[in-house]
Amino acid sequence: MMTGSPDAFTLLFRRGERPDAAAMVRCLARAREAGFRVHASEEAELSGGLLEVTAAGLTFDLGGLAPGAALPAFQPLQWLGFEGSPDRSLIERVEVRAGNHIRAGASLHPVMKVMTSLVAALALDLPVRAVGWGPSGILMEPGYFCRMVLGWLSGGLFPARGLVALVPAPDGGLTSRGLSAFIGQEIQMEGASADSVQVAQLVIDDLVKRGGMNAPGSLSVGARKFLVEPSRFGKRLHIWGQDD
């Protein structure tokens, strides 16, 4: 299983490349010069391995900075965006998570968009080797993560491919892992087709916009229609393709 905060992003570094507070402050200053509303005090001092950062008026904690002890290892359940075998020497990590006063709403769209913007800014500037998202257990190549997130921030689809894992189910369908962090429910796509993953991503985008579904109903994705039925046991939505 993956270790680390379940609601946090992880930035992985090679040994010796993990930034300290001063390096992080310089990185954030460059992001601010580029137009991102982010701030960390120039006199910031590391406290218990944490550096508090304000982005777009919201407070986030950066944990695991040098010279403090490295956080426990991140053991991903899935790798995305890497060419060939991923670098297994990614052994030191920094966490980015919502601050205490907004943590209860960390999965809300406004908060998540600011947090993913912050993570992307760090990943583009620092020697980050991989980006992980706790609830899905997915570890992503930094460029892949940034392209996915920036597409969403520019008005595209919710980045389900990295923030939600889609896992083959025993019956041939697909089940999600990590969607509950956003809507309080996971999905079970019944049946399978050649484009099941792409369809599931569109369904997830719709459900995230709705905030989930608590009663049987239907939804449409393009020309396709689906029947949705909440499970009686656990927080899961069963979804079937509906014939025209």
Side-chain angles (χ1 to χ4, degrees), residues 17-40:
E17 293 183 342
R18 186 165 48 105
D20 59 14
M24 192 64 74
V25 168
R26 291 193 296 270
C27 172
L28 296 173
R30 290 189 290 271
R32 186 166 60 252
E33 291 173 357
F36 186 34
R37 292 169 52 206
V38 62
H39 176 75

Side-chain angles (χ1 to χ4, degrees), residues 35-165:
F36 186 34
R37 292 169 52 206
V38 62
H39 176 75
S41 172
E42 294 295 336
E43 292 77 32
E45 294 183 0
L46 206 59
S47 175
L50 293 176
L51 177 67
E52 186 176 274
V53 172
T54 300
L58 301 174
T59 302
F60 300 90
D61 293 331
L62 307 184
L65 299 181
L71 295 171
F74 186 102
Q75 300 174 358
L77 302 175
Q78 187 175 354
W79 301 74
L80 290 178
F82 295 89
E83 293 186 6
S85 298
D87 186 350
R88 300 288 178 169
S89 65
L90 307 173
I91 55 177
E92 293 192 351
R93 68 187 182 94
V94 169
E95 281 190 345
V96 181
R97 56 182 178 269
N100 288 332
H101 70 289
I102 62 169
R103 191 160 297 169
S107 63
L108 297 176
H109 265 202
V111 178
M112 181 55 65
K113 286 188 172 183
V114 175
M115 183 156 61
T116 53
S117 297
L118 173 60
V119 174
L122 299 177
L124 288 170
D125 188 84
L126 297 170
V128 175
R129 306 301 175 175
V131 178
W133 170 237
S136 69
I138 292 176
L139 198 62
M140 293 161 274
E141 188 274 328
Y144 173 93
F145 169 79
C146 292
R147 290 190 298 273
M148 177 189 65
V149 167
L150 294 176
W152 178 43
L153 297 175
S154 299
L157 295 175
F158 176 78
R161 193 68 181 101
L163 302 186
V164 178

Side-chain angles (χ1 to χ4, degrees), residues 157-222:
L157 295 175
F158 176 78
R161 193 68 181 101
L163 302 186
V164 178
L166 294 169
V167 183
D171 63 358
L174 286 175
T175 187
S176 69
R177 181 181 64 235
L179 182 57
S180 59
F182 301 98
I183 66 172
Q185 298 167 306
E186 300 292 346
I187 63 169
Q188 175 83 30
M189 298 287 293
E190 307 293 352
S193 63
D195 60 351
S196 291
V197 171
Q198 291 79 6
V199 171
Q201 291 169 1
L202 295 174
V203 168
I204 288 171
D205 179 70
D206 186 281
L207 289 171
V208 169
K209 291 174 180 176
R210 293 169 180 256
M213 294 179 66
N214 295 316
S218 62
L219 58 83
S220 298
V221 174

